Amino acid sequence: RESNVIEDHIVTDTQGNNPCGFPVLLEVVTNKEIVTTFERKSGVTVLHVTGALKVRLTNTDTDKSIERNISGPTRLTVNSDESITQETAGPGLWAFDPGIASDLPRMAITKGRTVSVINSQPTGEFRFISQRGSIENICAALAP
């Protein structure tokens, strides 16, 4: 068990782009998240991320900000082929690359179950498999 350290930062997609078209600063308001790691005999490792995580998201062009709970929980399974399956069951913040999860906003908070997979190297391809529950468009909430 260890603390999940999250630093304040500008939110970008994996390509370094601002998903909203303007910079969004993430500031940690409350972080009591804990990562618990379970190593299975089969070679699979499971990480459970639980606990309170609240953030302030700010459009740095306008200083408009909102505070949100993004506490999850999240379960990451490092599979024997080195791919990672990620499952969430509560509120979580996402910043999607163009073309990924095309039916969702580029920056969103999902509330409910999501499933995604990161393939093993060399491609590291990310696939957003499914989402159930509500969605908040963070770009729209922070738009001028």
Side-chain angles (χ1 to χ4, degrees):
R1 293 176 51 102
E2 59 188 72
S3 298
N4 189 22
V5 178
I6 301 170
E7 308 252 339
D8 296 352
H9 63 279
I10 298 292
V11 178
T12 62
D13 62 20
T14 65
Q15 300 170 1
N17 300 314
N18 294 327
C20 294
F22 51 82
V24 175
L25 174 65
L26 180 146
E27 297 172 281
V28 176
V29 175
T30 301
N31 184 359
K32 296 183 180 178
E33 280 197 328
I34 299 294
V35 179
T36 306
T37 303
F38 301 92
E39 294 183 15
R40 307 284 189 224
K41 290 180 183 178
S42 64
V44 172
T45 301
V46 179
L47 295 93
H48 288 261
V49 184
T50 57
L53 179 59
K54 297 177 183 173
V55 297
R56 179 179 306 109
L57 301 165
T58 303
N59 175 336
T60 62
D61 288 346
T62 65
D63 287 331
K64 182 176 183 179
S65 67
I66 56 177
E67 290 191 10
R68 295 295 184 265
N69 171 11
I70 58 170
S71 297
T74 301
R75 181 175 63 194
L76 300 160
T77 304
V78 182
N79 302 300
S80 56
D81 67 357
E82 296 184 11
S83 67
I84 300 170
T85 303
Q86 178 175 271
E87 299 172 86
T88 66
L93 178 66
W94 296 87
F96 295 110
D97 289 350
I100 302 294
S102 56
D103 55 335
L104 298 177
R106 291 274 317 277
M107 186 180 297
I109 291 180
T110 60
K111 294 181 181 174
R113 187 172 192 273
T114 65
V115 178
S116 58
V117 174
I118 302 168
N119 288 339
S120 61
Q121 296 302 326
T123 65
E125 174 193 25
F126 175 82
R127 291 180 295 129
F128 193 78
I129 307 295
S130 65
Q131 184 275 325
R132 288 188 207 155
S134 65
I135 300 164
E136 179 181 12
N137 183 333
I138 297 303
C139 299
L142 292 173

